Amino acid sequence: MIEVNGLIKTYGKHNAVNNLSFKIPDNCVFGFLGPNGAGKSTTMNMITGCLSPTEGQILINGRDILTEPEDAKKYIGYLPEIPPVYEDLTPYEYLLFVGEAKKIPKSQIKSEIDRVMELTNISHMKNRLIKNLSKGYRQRVGISQAILGNPPIIILDEPTVGLDPEQIIDIRNLIKELGKNHTVILSSHILSEISAVCGLVMIISKGSLVAFDTIENLSGGTLEKSVLMEAKGDKNKIENALKSIDGVNNFGISDKLGFYQFSFDAENDPREKVFYAMSEISCPIMSMSLKKSSLEDIFLNLVQENYDYEKGGVK
């Protein structure tokens, strides 16, 4: 649905986006991550046609966003970080204006406005002036305009900013539902949100691509995994046994509780060796739990390291 080739955006001598290339498939929720100043908003503005690239090509369902902007933009619904709402209009009046701008047929526009207001739970606010709405409801109005007309591509920049916990859950569920029949690009600084709703993740740093994969693949292959083990027995014997096993890294111990923590490389799982080692010294394992790298761990690691995109791992 979206294909980006050799995308570059420069401001003077500064490269805000540096030779980005990627493809986003149909019907998925795609997370777009990067530290502040990484080039996320610049990239999203170029994909939506709000900003022209210095070099490169952006195809939206086969339409070039530069040479066929009107055709390409028909496929996109966009919520910028600051919702583009008119405060002196009501949500209904504003969505009517947006619907006319999107050229939704007059015979369908009322039912379409009712549909998106129901999805975002703002029907009971439709006749209030937007300037009198809370920040959370303004955000919902912004999401409504993005999905109005049922575009196949929906791009959301920080869609849950200002929402309360219950509203966040509602919007996350809406995003998941949209992902069944739309391509959804979600940019957020809330990494738990990306983990909760996204199938694919792209991470950029300093304008360059550092990762493009599923969260599961990234967490399974880029960082060490950690094990927390509870065992009974002489602590010195357990410690010496663990330290003697190939693959056990960063060993730690809690003297009071009998918990032992160690990590291992993704390719070298020593847990079976640990089981037999504890059996040999007659120190029973009461529990052993595996902790995979969180998205926060992955993010911090990849923006600080060079990621080999072709091989799918850190160089």
Side-chain angles (χ1 to χ4, degrees), residues 246-263:
D246 289 339
V248 171
N249 305 324
N250 301 321
F251 175 80
I253 182 173
S254 172
D255 291 333
K256 293 182 179 180
L257 300 176
F259 284 99
Y260 305 83
Q261 186 165 348
F262 58 89
S263 60

Side-chain angles (χ1 to χ4, degrees), residues 122-185:
I122 61 169
S123 298
H124 59 298
M125 297 288 182
K126 68 178 183 179
N127 293 320
R128 290 194 187 183
L129 291 177
I130 292 174
K131 66 182 178 182
N132 294 329
L133 297 180
S134 68
K135 184 177 181 181
Y137 276 110
R138 292 189 195 192
Q139 194 74 6
R140 287 171 177 249
V141 174
I143 295 171
S144 297
Q145 66 79 26
I147 64 179
L148 191 69
N150 206 27
I153 299 170
I154 299 168
I155 300 177
L156 306 173
D157 195 353
E158 303 286 351
T160 59
V161 170
L163 303 185
D164 63 39
E166 184 177 359
Q167 292 172 331
I168 288 172
I169 293 171
D170 289 343
I171 295 303
R172 286 180 182 177
N173 290 334
L174 172 59
I175 291 170
K176 288 179 184 178
E177 192 64 28
L178 290 171
K180 295 178 181 179
N181 299 298
H182 300 75
T183 296
V184 182
I185 301 178

Side-chain angles (χ1 to χ4, degrees), residues 230-299:
E230 181 184 6
K232 283 186 175 181
D234 184 271
K235 291 180 173 59
N236 289 328
K237 288 171 63 177
I238 294 173
E239 182 176 354
N240 291 333
L242 287 173
K243 288 182 176 179
S244 69
I245 298 172
D246 289 339
V248 171
N249 305 324
N250 301 321
F251 175 80
I253 182 173
S254 172
D255 291 333
K256 293 182 179 180
L257 300 176
F259 284 99
Y260 305 83
Q261 186 165 348
F262 58 89
S263 60
F264 61 91
D265 296 331
E267 301 82 12
N268 186 18
D269 188 342
R271 285 177 292 171
E272 184 175 344
K273 296 177 183 177
V274 169
F275 174 83
Y276 288 115
M278 294 300 102
S279 177
E280 287 179 5
I281 61 174
S282 300
C283 293
I285 296 173
M286 307 305 292
S287 66
M288 186 186 293
S289 58
L290 174 65
K291 178 189 175 185
K292 290 187 178 182
S293 304
S294 66
L295 185 56
E296 287 84 354
D297 297 329
I298 297 165
F299 177 80

Side-chain angles (χ1 to χ4, degrees), residues 69-88:
E70 189 170 346
D71 287 340
K73 290 178 183 179
K74 289 179 181 178
Y75 294 94
I76 299 173
Y78 180 37
L79 172 67
E81 187 172 356
I82 300 174
V85 295
Y86 296 126
E87 295 188 345
D88 290 329

Side-chain angles (χ1 to χ4, degrees), residues 7 9 11 16-17 20 32-52 58 78-82 155-158 185-189 202 204 207:
L7 195 63
K9 183 63 179 179
Y11 296 99
V17 175
L20 276 183
F32 192 21
L33 293 172
N36 289 332
K40 299 190 304 301
S41 293
T42 300
T43 300
M44 294 176 80
N45 282 327
M46 288 190 286
I47 291 174
T48 57
C50 298
L51 189 65
S52 297
I58 301 167
Y78 180 37
L79 172 67
E81 187 172 356
I82 300 174
I155 300 177
L156 306 173
D157 195 353
E158 303 286 351
I185 301 178
L186 173 62
S187 176
S188 176
H189 286 96
M202 182 171 79
I204 65 171

